[in-house]
Amino acid sequence: VGIDTSIASRLLLEAALVYEQDWTSVAQGDLKMPWDMEAGHRQTTPQYALRQTSRFVREAVGTLRRRDGLKQTRTWLDDASQDSMGYPDYYLNQFHHQTDGWFSKESADVYETSTETLFLGRQDSMQRRTLVPLSKLPVKPSSILEVACGTGRVGTFTRDLFPEAEFTLSDLSPFYLDKSRKNDAYWRQRYAGTNGGAEPPAARLVQANAEKLPFEDASFDAVTCVYLFHEMPAEARANAAAEMARVVKPGGTVVFTDSIQRGDRPALDEGLDKFENLNEPHYPSYIRSDIPKYFTDAGLVCGDKSVASTSKTLSFTKPL
C-alpha cells in the first residue's frame, strides 16, 4: 500500500511501548484501567463506530483541502465577534486545519476520533501520564481544576481516579465545553452503574481563557493542563503558567502535559518542526522554549518529568 515498512514498524512499536507504560502504572497502582475499555461501552457498538467513521472521513477530506491551500485557515468568527467575546487572536487559528477550529459542535464531536487516528491509538495512554504525579501524592487532592479541558476526555480519567474530589473543567470554547459536559455525564452514569450507588456530582464547567482564570487565589489542590502550550505564543504560555500557579493552593500540584520538545528524544528532533505544517504556527517556538522556566518564574518548584512516546509530563509544586 505504499507505506515504508520501517516507519510502520516504528509506529507500531511506539504504540506497544506506550501501552506497556500505561499498563505498568496500572499494575503499580498509580492508575486505574481505562474506565470505558470493556465491551458494552458506547465506542464498542457498531452504531458508534459507523457514526464516528463517517465524521472522520468528512473531516479528513476538509482537512486535506485546507492543508493544500484550498481553504482559509482562520475560523468563521469575524473581528467584531472576536472583540466582543474577548477571544485572543491566536485562538482563532484553525489548528490542525480542523473544521471551524475550536468553534463548532462538529469540530468537538470528531476531535477525539481524529486525534486518536493521528496518534494511531496512543493519545489516551500518553495523556493519562498526567495523572501519575497526582496519584503519588501523600494526600489525595480534594479539589482539581483542568485548564483547557477540550472535550473533557482526560477529565473522565481524572474523575475516575479521584471520584470524591470537587472537579472543575475550564475551556475557552463553548462547543468543546459542552462536549466535556456530555462526556462527564456519561462517565457519571457509568460510574454509578458500576459502583452501585448514586451518580457523583456533575463537574463544574467554566468558560475561561487560560491567561485569565476566573478563580480566587489558592482555590485548588491540583491543577492539570494537557496539550495547550504548543498552540500558544510565548507570552500567552507565561501568562497561563502564572495563572495556574496563582490558583493552586500552597503545597498543591500543577501537572503539565504536552508534546515533547527538542532534546527530549534527540532522534526525533529534526522531524518535530514538520508538525508546523498542520497549521501549528507556534509549534516551532514551543519545542525550543524553556517550559519549566514559565512555571518557576511564577513561583513553583520543579518536580518529576516523564516521557510517553511523543508527549511529556512535568509536575510542579507550590511552596507552603
Side-chain angles (χ1 to χ4, degrees):
V1 293
I3 299 176
D4 187 295
T5 56
S6 64
I7 294 177
S9 297
R10 184 180 67 78
L11 292 174
L12 290 173
L13 179 60
E14 287 277 333
L17 288 173
V18 79
Y19 297 155
E20 181 183 39
Q21 192 175 17
D22 195 64
W23 167 247
T24 298
S25 291
V26 172
Q28 292 174 344
D30 294 328
L31 296 176
K32 290 183 178 180
M33 290 291 284
W35 61 273
D36 61 348
M37 67 178 295
E38 295 92 355
H41 283 279
R42 58 188 178 188
Q43 67 265 36
T44 65
T45 65
Q47 298 92 332
Y48 184 90
L50 287 171
R51 182 171 67 249
Q52 290 304 108
T53 299
S54 176
R55 285 171 171 166
F56 173 72
V57 170
R58 290 196 303 271
E59 176 65 14
V61 171
T63 296
L64 292 173
R65 286 176 177 171
R66 284 184 288 273
R67 186 199 64 180
D68 293 339
L70 300 179
K71 297 280 186 177
Q72 64 180 11
T73 56
R74 181 184 169 97
T75 64
W76 54 266
L77 202 68
D78 62 23
D79 292 340
S81 298
Q82 177 192 358
D83 292 341
S84 173
M85 299 299 295
Y87 292 113
D89 189 63
Y90 64 82
Y91 193 70
L92 303 186
N93 181 52
Q94 280 186 289
F95 293 101
H96 326 133
H97 296 293
Q98 65 192 33
T99 301
D100 301 323
W102 306 119
F103 285 95
S104 74
K105 178 182 181 297
E106 290 73 19
S107 172
D109 283 341
V110 76
Y111 178 81
E112 292 170 18
T113 302
S114 294
T115 51
E116 277 292 6
T117 302
L118 175 66
F119 289 115
L120 298 180
R122 306 194 311 273
Q123 179 162 273
D124 275 356
S125 294
M126 293 191 297
Q127 293 182 339
R128 277 163 51 87
R129 307 312 301 169
T130 308
L131 306 183
V132 174
L134 299 183
S135 72
K136 293 180 179 295
L137 294 174
V139 178
K140 292 182 179 180
S142 60
S143 56
I144 304 172
L145 166 68
E146 183 176 348
V147 176
C149 66
T151 66
R153 174 72 176 162
V154 178
T156 63
F157 294 125
T158 308
R159 296 208 72 186
D160 201 54
L161 192 60
F162 303 104
E164 297 179 359
E166 295 180 357
F167 195 61
T168 302
L169 293 162
S170 72
D171 199 89
L172 191 51
S173 168
F175 302 99
Y176 277 71
L177 204 59
D178 184 54
K179 184 67 174 180
S180 293
R181 178 182 62 83
K182 294 172 182 175
N183 277 337
D184 182 70
Y186 181 63
W187 170 80
R188 289 186 288 111
Q189 173 193 347
R190 299 296 301 208
Y191 184 86
T194 301
N195 293 274
E199 289 187 9
R204 180 186 181 192
L205 301 164
V206 180
Q207 186 181 7
N209 185 338
E211 297 183 70
K212 300 175 183 179
L213 295 173
F215 308 112
E216 298 293 328
D217 296 356
S219 293
F220 303 95
D221 293 325
V223 178
T224 63
C225 181
V226 180
Y227 287 10
L228 171 65
F229 276 31
H230 71 273
E231 295 185 344
M232 305 175 92
E235 182 179 0
R237 293 179 209 134
N239 292 339
E243 281 293 273
M244 287 183 250
R246 179 183 66 79
V247 302
V248 74
K249 295 177 181 179
T253 301
V254 174
V255 185
F256 162 95
T257 295
D258 210 311
S259 164
I260 58 172
Q261 298 175 278
R262 292 179 69 89
D264 288 322
R265 295 183 62 187
L268 302 183
D269 279 358
E270 296 308 311
L272 289 178
D273 280 299
K274 296 178 181 178
F275 198 64
E276 183 184 12
N277 297 332
L278 290 177
N279 200 23
E280 292 281 3
H282 307 294
Y283 194 78
S285 70
Y286 164 80
I287 61 175
R288 293 168 173 82
S289 64
D290 186 346
I291 296 297
K293 190 173 187 299
Y294 292 131
F295 292 93
T296 56
D297 282 352
L300 302 186
V301 177
C302 292
D304 294 332
K305 171 185 175 180
S306 67
V307 173
S309 189
T310 52
S311 289
K312 66 189 294 183
T313 296
L314 306 174
S315 66
F316 303 89
T317 302
K318 188 172 186 175
L320 291 170

